[in-house]
Amino acid sequence: MSAPMPVFAQISANIPTSLVLSIALGLLAFSLLVLFAKRYKRCPSNRLLVIYGKTGQGAAKVIHGGAAFVWPLIQAHEFLPLDPFVVPIDLSSALSQENIRVSVPTTVTVAVSTETGVMENAAVRLLGLPTNSIRDKAEDIILGQMRAVIATMRIEEINQDRQAFMIKVYEAVTTELEKIGLAVINTNIKDIEDAAARVRQSPHDYVKVALTDIDGLLRGKFMHRDKFLSALEDGFGFCDVVLGWDINDQLYDNCAYTGWHTGF
C-alpha cells in the first residue's frame, strides 16, 4: 500500500506551469519597476543633476530641468545648487595706467551657470564644494580681473565713463568665471576712490611719499598737497642717494648705479 502524498506536493502538482511562470514574470516586472523608479532621477529647476561614472559623455553628464536614468553600479549622481550668492570685493590700492592707486569696493552676484558647455565646467570644478569655497574661488578670480582692467585705464576714463568701466569688468570677469562653471548675474560698483580724491578730502596740508631702499627701509619726504596732486599727473623726482647707502646712512663701495660719480 503506497504512502499518501504530502499536502504541499499535491497543491504544487495541481498548479499549472503557465501560472507559475506568470507569477515569476510579474514579480520580475515589479522588481524592475521599483528599480527604475528608484534610479530615475528628476532634476528640479533650481539644481543641476550631475551623473558621473560611465556616461559616454566625458567626465560627467549634466542635466538642468529634466530627468535621466542613473544606472546602478556603473553610475552615481549628485546635485549642484543654482542659488545665487554675493561675493563682496574689497579692492583697494589697485594701480591705474598712470600708477595711481584706486580703491573700488564692489559686490558681484554669481551662480552656477546653466549654459551648455559652462555647466559641465561646474560639474568638474565645483561638484561637492561648499558655497564658501566656491565664493573664495570666485573672489580670487574677480579681484585679479578687476586689477587687470584698472591697469589698462586712466583715472579720467574710470571716473568719467563708469558704464564703460563696468562693461570691461563684466566681460573680463565673466570670461574667467565661466572656466569654473560660474555666471555673473549682477555687478555693483559702490564707489571709486583714487589717491588724489583721498588727499583732496583730507584736512592735512602735507603728504608723505616714500620708497624703499635696497635694505628694505622706507625712505620718505613730505610734500605739500598741491605739489603732490600735480605730481600725480606729471611725476616727481626722488634723489637716487637712497639707493647708494645702507640702513646706517653709510655709503656703499663700488656702487655702479649711484655714487660720487653721479654727483648725488
Side-chain angles (χ1 to χ4, degrees):
M1 184 175 178
S2 60
M5 292 180 61
V7 175
F8 70 87
Q10 292 178 8
I11 295 174
S12 177
N14 293 330
I15 297 177
T17 304
S18 58
L19 180 58
V20 174
L21 289 175
S22 297
I23 294 173
L25 290 174
L27 290 174
L28 178 61
F30 179 76
S31 300
L32 291 175
L33 182 62
V34 171
L35 176 64
F36 183 83
K38 286 184 176 181
R39 303 299 296 179
Y40 190 73
K41 303 299 178 180
R42 293 180 296 276
C43 180
S45 59
N46 65 337
R47 292 183 180 184
L48 292 181
L49 172 60
V50 181
I51 301 173
Y52 54 92
K54 192 173 181 61
T55 64
Q57 297 186 18
K61 178 180 179 181
V62 185
I63 297 171
H64 175 236
F69 183 76
V70 181
W71 290 96
L73 300 180
I74 62 172
Q75 292 181 346
H77 77 285
E78 288 187 42
F79 288 98
L80 260 176
L82 299 177
D83 303 321
F85 55 90
V86 175
V87 183
I89 304 298
D90 185 18
L91 178 61
S92 60
S93 299
L95 289 175
S96 68
Q97 193 179 63
E98 317 100 308
N99 288 327
I100 297 176
R101 297 193 178 276
V102 184
S103 296
V104 189
T106 307
T107 56
V108 182
T109 305
V110 301
V112 173
S113 177
T114 58
E115 183 180 344
T116 301
V118 181
M119 59 184 182
E120 285 77 9
N121 293 341
V124 174
R125 307 293 182 190
L126 306 178
L127 188 65
L129 293 180
T131 302
N132 287 341
S133 296
I134 298 175
R135 182 182 288 109
D136 290 343
K137 290 178 181 292
E139 182 180 356
D140 290 342
I141 291 173
I142 295 169
L143 276 170
Q145 292 306 304
M146 289 188 68
R147 288 185 183 277
V149 170
I150 291 171
T152 65
M153 301 181 69
R154 297 176 61 84
I155 291 297
E156 291 79 5
E157 292 180 85
I158 297 173
N159 284 322
Q160 291 175 6
D161 194 346
R162 298 287 183 92
Q163 188 64 28
F165 173 62
M166 289 185 64
I167 290 174
K168 286 186 176 183
V169 170
Y170 176 84
E171 291 175 348
V173 168
T174 296
T175 299
E176 294 303 310
L177 286 181
E178 285 182 348
K179 294 178 181 179
I180 64 170
L182 295 176
V184 177
I185 296 176
N186 179 59
T187 302
N188 179 27
I189 296 176
K190 298 179 181 178
D191 195 12
I192 298 175
E193 186 180 73
D194 57 47
R198 292 186 180 184
V199 172
R200 292 189 184 98
Q201 295 168 8
S202 172
H204 303 292
D205 292 328
Y206 290 89
V207 179
K208 187 171 185 179
V209 295
L211 55 81
T212 54
D213 64 15
I214 58 178
D215 289 318
L217 184 67
L218 196 64
R219 304 280 186 170
K221 62 181 179 180
F222 286 98
M223 296 174 60
H224 192 273
R225 61 188 298 162
D226 294 338
K227 184 176 181 180
F228 174 78
L229 293 172
S230 174
L232 289 178
E233 297 293 333
D234 303 323
F236 63 93
F238 208 107
C239 185
D240 60 10
V241 67
V242 298
L243 302 177
W245 59 22
D246 63 17
I247 198 169
N248 294 315
D249 293 345
Q250 298 299 311
L251 299 180
Y252 288 115
D253 293 328
N254 302 319
C255 183
Y257 174 72
T258 184
W260 292 116
H261 59 286
T262 65
F264 69 57

